[in-house]
Amino acid sequence: MKLSGIREAGKADSWYEGDPEVLSEQLDDFLGDVPATVNEANVPIPGAKVIIAPHAGYSYSGPCAAWAYRCLDLSRAKRVFLLGPSHTYYLRGCALTKFAQYATPFGDLTVDEPIVQQLRDTGKFQDMPTHNDVEEHSLEMHLPYIYKRITQTFSSADEYPTLVPILVGDNKGPEEKQFGALLAPYLQDPDNVFVVSSDFCHWGDRFSYTVYAPGRDASNLTSLTYKTRRPTDPPIHESIKLLDQMAMDAIAGGHHDDFVNNLKKTKNTVCGRHPIGVTMAALEVLARDAPDTDTDKYKFKFVQYQRSSLVEVYSDSSVSYASAYAVV
């Protein structure tokens, strides 16, 4: 199937700045606030070909996302695989774009048609409905950052990596493992990098998630109501942090099953849990088959955690953001 058309930058001027000069200055500021060394390594971190970064409006999650993008090693990249969750329609499995280019205020990113066709030929992928592709923010919110980091890395547009957008649906653990095994050879290829789009806990009645850990006891989770509106042991935001930390620890542990089991226990509303799960499954395949025993490879390391607000009462709400990288 021939790819065609340009997916326009529909969230520009609302979720992020549409003026390229203003946007460029904002991203430079966000990236400039990240230290020159992270985990005792100069950034970009050599071999950090996989990142997890948030996808909210830049005024909320842009500073957090900068940490992942500063760590990302694009030096050998010829393709950027972008995995995000579906917010606009129910999807099982995974889906591919039909667009030939994705627009940003800086310029257009070219979709890698041969790779998209390779994936389509497996028979495992659906096509994204055009309307849903256009409306989906989990992919778009990464495009300006990707373009910015590409221009910082490569001197000529002829060297710019292509894009492979993949929407990851509501898959069970075994299905995530299947897609992870399918994508593992692409992750192993030194020419490819992976960007995984996810926010973390969406807490509040408007998200139908008010889980709370009394006394910081994660084995005794309950759900708050208006009758228990302001607990203090711990404050709600500290309980949210605990739930997110449990999810991040499960991800950093490198075992896909542990992450799946963590979410079954806490029901944490990590919206990119399925893209994360697929990528963890792919990393596990590479770790299993790797000839070396470098414990620093094939596992995510979290470098930043932020929240949109610090919840204190039941009527409040917040969304959590986290950034991580993995060396391959």
Side-chain angles (χ1 to χ4, degrees):
M1 180 180 124
K2 184 72 175 174
L3 302 181
S4 63
I6 301 174
R7 182 204 178 279
E8 297 297 338
K11 305 302 181 188
D13 288 317
S14 56
W15 290 51
Y16 57 90
E17 297 288 346
D19 183 305
E21 292 186 6
V22 176
L23 178 61
S24 181
E25 183 176 345
Q26 182 186 52
L27 295 185
D28 284 339
D29 288 344
F30 290 157
L31 292 164
D33 286 339
V34 180
T37 59
V38 174
N39 289 336
E40 300 182 347
N42 292 332
V43 294
I45 293 175
K49 298 199 322 164
V50 193
I51 61 170
I52 297 171
H55 55 236
Y58 282 2
S59 62
Y60 293 101
S61 69
C64 182
W67 283 75
Y69 278 100
R70 279 284 277 154
C71 292
L72 180 63
D73 182 3
L74 288 168
S75 60
R76 297 183 60 180
K78 294 182 179 178
R79 285 170 220 93
V80 178
F81 282 69
L82 175 57
L83 280 64
S86 176
H87 291 88
T88 68
Y89 75 111
Y90 184 77
L91 171 67
R92 286 298 294 270
C94 294
L96 303 167
T97 188
K98 295 181 285 186
F99 285 110
Q101 294 175 300
Y102 273 38
T104 82
F106 303 132
D108 299 338
L109 293 166
T110 300
V111 175
D112 195 308
E113 186 162 357
I115 296 298
V116 169
Q117 191 58 50
Q118 273 185 21
L119 295 174
R120 185 173 281 117
D121 288 344
T122 66
K124 303 294 185 182
F125 291 83
Q126 305 173 39
D127 290 328
M128 293 185 219
T130 299
H131 170 75
N132 298 100
D133 194 343
V134 169
E135 291 297 317
E136 181 54 61
H137 68 273
S138 76
L139 302 178
E140 179 176 341
M141 296 307 296
H142 289 275
L143 303 179
Y145 257 121
I146 290 170
Y147 202 103
K148 165 62 76 170
R149 289 288 293 110
I150 285 173
T151 60
Q152 291 176 338
T153 306
F154 301 98
S155 58
S156 168
D158 293 336
E159 299 175 288
Y160 289 3
T162 52
L163 188 69
V164 184
I166 301 175
L167 209 57
V168 181
D170 185 17
N171 302 305
K172 305 298 183 185
E175 295 166 318
E176 291 180 356
K177 288 180 184 292
Q178 291 172 10
F179 279 105
L182 191 155
L183 292 174
Y186 296 97
L187 183 55
Q188 188 173 38
D189 187 333
D191 291 343
N192 299 332
V193 301
F194 275 57
V195 173
V196 183
S197 177
S198 183
D199 295 337
F200 275 68
C201 185
H202 298 60
W203 197 97
D205 187 52
R206 69 190 184 100
F207 299 119
S208 300
Y209 187 79
T210 58
V211 169
Y212 177 74
R216 295 180 171 83
D217 182 1
S219 66
N220 187 32
L221 297 178
T222 186
S223 289
L224 299 181
T225 70
Y226 70 93
K227 294 181 179 179
T228 50
R229 57 184 305 273
R230 190 188 288 269
T232 57
D233 183 24
I236 297 173
H237 60 84
E238 287 297 324
S239 175
I240 294 170
K241 183 178 180 180
L242 173 65
L243 294 167
D244 279 328
Q245 190 62 58
M246 291 170 63
M248 290 188 287
D249 288 347
I251 294 168
H255 299 293
H256 173 261
D257 289 344
D258 289 348
F259 180 51
V260 172
N261 290 334
N262 166 263
L263 296 182
K264 285 181 180 178
K265 176 182 177 180
T266 67
K267 305 294 190 295
N268 196 346
T269 45
V270 180
C271 61
R273 57 194 177 277
H274 298 300
I276 293 172
V278 167
T279 307
M280 287 185 68
L283 287 167
E284 269 197 288
V285 170
L286 300 190
R288 183 191 65 211
D289 297 340
D292 57 64
T293 57
D294 187 348
T295 57
D296 283 337
K297 295 180 70 173
Y298 313 117
K299 293 180 180 180
F300 282 109
K301 293 188 176 185
F302 282 87
V303 292
Q304 186 64 196
Y305 174 73
Q306 299 177 11
R307 282 156 290 177
S308 61
S309 64
L310 297 181
V311 175
E312 294 188 354
V313 298
Y314 170 78
S315 57
D316 290 343
S317 64
S318 73
V319 179
S320 303
Y321 314 117
S323 281
Y325 70 89
V327 172
V328 175

